[in-house]
Amino acid sequence: MIKYGPLCWPENEAEIDYPHCNYPKLYDGQFPVGVDKYGIPLDHKGMQCLDRSSILHPHSTVKTVDLFVSGVGTFHIPSSLDAKAWFDEEFLHFSVPIYRKYAIKYIVEHQKSEFARFRKHHDSASIDKISNILLKNQIELLEEELENES
């Protein structure tokens, strides 16, 4: 199997029904044969197996909410409810830990300087502490949504 974040592609026919292969979308019916510099699976033609419209694609455009942090600047935080909607549309499991990882990765990749200033301002805080501060409101919205579903 080839993994990219929470997604997992089968590499051969035997892995199609493997429980961890949750993203069996195969382009041209071909299995991925490798990964690119971003870690995204590639097909036999060298094309990415993850659509650019996917919120997990490093070059996708996602809906964000702005969060001003004094002494650091404005962060563009991925919307937890939009992320959940994408996972639901793809029939994939979504949870607070998955959102945390996705959102922090997005922030680090798209706002390197603000993230570095934030860490310096908070004495190189751990990722858990950072996510608790930056993602607090989005996580509360997500938890409420998940609770309403159960």
Side-chain angles (χ1 to χ4, degrees):
M1 2 175 226
I2 296 179
K3 290 190 65 130
Y4 179 76
L7 304 179
C8 181
W9 284 259
E11 288 185 88
N12 55 51
E13 194 73 36
E15 291 181 348
I16 286 181
D17 293 325
Y18 190 69
H20 293 95
C21 289
N22 61 4
Y23 207 71
K25 287 188 175 180
L26 303 176
Y27 293 83
D28 296 335
Q30 303 291 319
F31 295 100
V33 296
V35 297
D36 66 9
K37 67 181 181 178
Y38 301 106
I40 297 173
L42 298 172
D43 68 13
H44 67 286
K45 296 178 184 174
M47 303 295 289
Q48 292 180 338
C49 296
L50 180 63
D51 194 285
R52 192 172 177 148
S53 66
S54 161
I55 64 167
L56 299 176
H57 194 286
H59 300 298
S60 70
T61 304
V62 300
K63 183 176 178 187
T64 60
V65 293
D66 290 346
L67 174 69
F68 179 75
V69 178
S70 181
V72 177
T74 301
F75 281 92
H76 307 291
I77 309 295
S79 163
S80 62
L81 298 182
D82 279 11
K84 182 187 177 310
W86 183 85
F87 273 77
D88 287 349
E89 288 169 13
E90 297 294 323
F91 302 103
L92 297 169
H93 171 73
F94 193 63
S95 63
V96 170
I98 291 172
Y99 172 72
R100 271 184 208 271
K101 188 172 182 179
Y102 153 70
I104 290 296
K105 182 177 179 183
Y106 179 90
I107 292 166
V108 168
E109 289 176 355
H110 292 90
Q111 297 182 270
K112 288 178 178 70
S113 60
E114 291 89 345
F115 187 75
R117 273 197 311 275
F118 183 87
R119 285 201 77 186
K120 186 176 181 182
H121 192 302
H122 285 53
D123 298 322
S124 298
S126 70
I127 293 297
D128 283 341
K129 184 176 180 181
I130 291 169
S131 68
N132 287 339
I133 296 168
L134 292 179
L135 306 176
K136 182 178 187 287
N137 291 341
Q138 287 301 304
I139 288 173
E140 287 173 356
L141 284 172
L142 178 58
E143 287 173 335
E144 183 178 316
E145 179 74 13
L146 292 171
E147 188 176 303
N148 288 340
E149 286 182 353
S150 36

